[in-house]
Amino acid sequence: MARWQPDARGRLEAAAFELFRERGFEQTTVADIAARASLDKRTFYRLFGDKREALFSGSGRVEEVLVRAVTETDAGPFEAVVAAFRRVAEELFADRLELVRARQAIIESSPELQERELRKSGSLAAAVTAALRARGLDETTATLATESGATVFRVAFARWIAPDSDAPLSDLIAEVAAELRAITSAPNALTSAGPDEPSRRW
Amino acid sequence: MARWQPDARGRLEAAAFELFRERGFEQTTVADIAARASLDKRTFYRLFGDKREALFSGSGRVEEVLVRAVTETDAGPFEAVVAAFRRVAEELFADRLELVRARQAIIESSPELQERELRKSGSLAAAVTAALRARGLDETTATLATESGATVFRVAFARWIAPDSDAPLSDLIAEVAAELRAITSAPNALTSAGPDEPSRRW
């Protein structure tokens, strides 16, 4: 076998994912993952900081798509973030519902993985906020747009991976964004303005 | 000295806070905390699960105030959550800026404490969402209102504890809520509707 391994990273990620599904995250060792990929532990540690990391390399691609999308648009900040998450849904998640469900089940099985996911979400949010700041938006606006967009994404994502779901993630993101708009637009939802009244600005 | 100790919990919390400030969180042991409070380690562990917990007992009171506030109002869901956070600001945080800053500095010094804070925020959010659900709101609306309100609170809180801040937290919450409303109300902030146009409903 040649010493140089094409796509060692991809093979290790696939092996880790298979083994986490088959045996569970806790029961899988780095040695198991390397063996399944016909590589050695040294190669694993050269490419990933730890066992958890093999499940999170996709977050680099998510960040790229999000940052590019909010940078290339003229839309308002909240719109820009929602559109960016819709682009992620279309470019990275469409047609992968079963894989995403399986991955989510692995994450939910382990507090360590949940913790890593929270940290990854935090650094994604920081990158999106920085990209909005680079467009000249102030810190508060950039943070609010990022966090609101991320909330919309989380809620839509939870609906998408629910057992009885069948709508595309991108459509769910648009629906949930509309719902957030409706909730925040009326100073009091029980006495909300009719369509002919002027828009309220609190 | 009497065996029964009035307010052992309060004394242990105060001792932990003092020692974390003086020596740092890592350098303080449960034995140190108990000694400072003239109590023993057994009493500490009876009242707190671990060393971190001594810094987070306030979150029970925050949860009580939030849940009561969203339960007792007729306001729309987002308004209700924002008003509830303003009530927390007024009842629990007003006049305590220096203490809150010191506590936040302790939390930021330790990844373990940051992790515990994330978890506490998660369970606060779950309690608020459950209270909104009990008012008859659907899951998505309740989650969006809770998460948006929590985002407003986080941004306002960060402004409040910033070195150059002087506005009351409750006012900052109202301001940031207005800003979130402005960001999400216009489908495109660069072409936002003037005051005479009808309100847009996406």
Side-chain angles (χ1 to χ4, degrees), chain A residues 44 57 78 91 108 118 134 158 176:
Chain A
F44 183 94
S57 62
F78 176 67
E91 289 186 18
E108 275 158 27
L118 278 178
V176 175

Side-chain angles (χ1 to χ4, degrees), chain B residues 50-111:
Chain B
D50 59 26
K51 188 174 72 166
R52 288 186 272 183
E53 205 56 28
L55 204 59
F56 286 97
S57 62
S59 79
R61 291 191 293 277
V62 172
E63 181 173 318
E64 262 173 54
V65 172
L66 285 174
V67 166
R68 186 161 28 87
V70 299
T71 302
E72 286 173 357
T73 179
D74 292 337
F78 176 67
E79 288 313 298
V81 177
V82 169
F85 275 115
R86 293 185 71 188
R87 179 123 34 122
V88 166
E90 284 151 16
E91 290 187 17
L92 305 177
F93 286 8
D95 304 322
R96 290 193 190 142
L97 178 54
E98 288 314 318
L99 282 177
V100 173
R101 273 187 184 140
R103 181 174 176 279
Q104 204 59 24
I106 295 167
I107 291 173
E108 273 157 29
S109 76
S110 155

Side-chain angles (χ1 to χ4, degrees), chain B residues 129-199:
Chain B
T129 301
L132 290 171
R133 296 273 284 143
R135 281 180 49 192
L137 293 167
D138 68 72
E139 179 79 35
T140 300
T141 304
T143 305
L144 287 175
T146 301
E147 296 293 329
S148 306
T151 294
V152 165
F153 179 77
R154 274 199 307 277
V155 171
F157 182 83
R159 272 203 206 160
W160 184 56
I161 65 168
D164 52 352
S165 144
D166 58 357
L169 178 56
S170 178
D171 293 359
L172 291 169
I173 293 171
E175 270 175 39
V176 175
E179 208 161 333
L180 178 63
R181 184 185 308 291
I183 291 171
T184 54
S185 68
N188 185 329
L190 300 181
T191 59
S192 65
D196 293 330
E197 286 188 42
S199 63

